[in-house]
Amino acid sequence: MAVTETMISAFTTLLVTVDPPGLAPLFLGLTQGMTRAQRQVVAIRGSVMGFAILTVFALFGASILGALGISMGAFRIAGGLMLFAIAFEMIFEKRNERKEKTTGDAITKDHIHNLAVFPLAIPLIAGPGAISATVLISGTVDGFIGKLQLIAVIGVVLGLVFVSLYLAERLNRFLGVTGRALLTRLLGVLLAALSVQFVVDGVKSAFIG
């Protein structure tokens, strides 16, 4: 039961931080002027690279922290605070403004070359929030089986990302401005609660043991 709850929490946290529906309109802006086939290629590559990045952090994130002398408790507190900041941006509609600015800068600098890598895979899909959440969740699972389950959850979330990108035009029309705003705020409140729980767990780990 505990394992199931952990995986549900992992799925919810990653789903909120990656935000597949929120990526749809940004993806349309990035791929403006491309054919449907070209958009599909970018969506597939971006999703696969995002999955690879998050998988690396799921497997080796704790080891990287250990090499840097950072305890998991301290990282949970820092990561929880950062996730809370993202939740605050989502609730008050600041996150999409920042993402759109990142998207616009990337188009200007790279002229859509290597679009699947930057800015789609990084930082729109596997951004700081998603990476932090992956490392935090990885620290709560036990053994190799737990890591495999987390990777499976990452795969499901990135699968939803691909579906969102593939159906970007339809999804954007279906949600509309009001639907996107409502969904973003709802997910932001949920992420805020999850981020506070990360901080509480980090304080317990760092100061209580």
Side-chain angles (χ1 to χ4, degrees), residues 68-203:
L68 295 173
I70 302 172
S71 70
M72 184 55 68
F75 190 83
R76 283 176 183 164
I77 294 172
L81 292 174
M82 189 169 75
L83 291 178
F84 186 84
I86 293 174
F88 183 87
E89 290 181 341
M90 292 174 70
I91 294 170
F92 294 99
E93 291 192 321
K94 299 294 183 183
R95 194 183 187 205
N96 280 343
E97 292 177 12
R98 175 168 54 80
K99 278 189 171 183
E100 285 167 4
K101 183 178 183 301
T102 301
T103 302
D105 290 345
I107 292 174
T108 301
K109 293 175 183 177
D110 293 345
H111 304 287
I112 311 181
H113 292 305
N114 302 317
L115 188 63
V117 180
F118 179 85
L120 187 56
I122 300 176
L124 295 180
I125 295 177
I131 290 173
S132 297
T134 300
V135 176
L136 289 171
I137 297 165
S138 178
T140 66
V141 299
D142 297 322
F144 184 68
I145 299 299
K147 293 287 195 299
L148 286 180
Q149 290 173 332
L150 176 56
I151 291 172
V153 169
I154 293 171
V156 172
V157 172
L158 269 293
L160 292 175
V161 168
F162 170 72
V163 171
S164 178
L165 299 183
Y166 184 80
L167 301 175
E169 294 181 37
R170 298 179 188 175
L171 185 63
N172 197 38
R173 286 197 301 267
F174 174 75
L175 289 176
V177 176
T178 303
R180 288 196 303 272
L182 179 62
L183 183 62
T184 298
R185 282 186 168 89
L186 189 63
L187 293 176
V189 171
L190 187 59
L191 180 60
L194 290 167
S195 65
V196 170
Q197 187 61 54
F198 277 131
V199 172
V200 171
D201 291 344
V203 169

Side-chain angles (χ1 to χ4, degrees), residues 27-28 31-43 169:
F27 178 73
L28 287 177
T31 57
Q32 190 171 5
M34 290 187 179
T35 64
R36 178 171 293 183
Q38 290 171 329
R39 278 180 173 162
Q40 289 178 4
V41 171
V42 174
E169 294 181 37

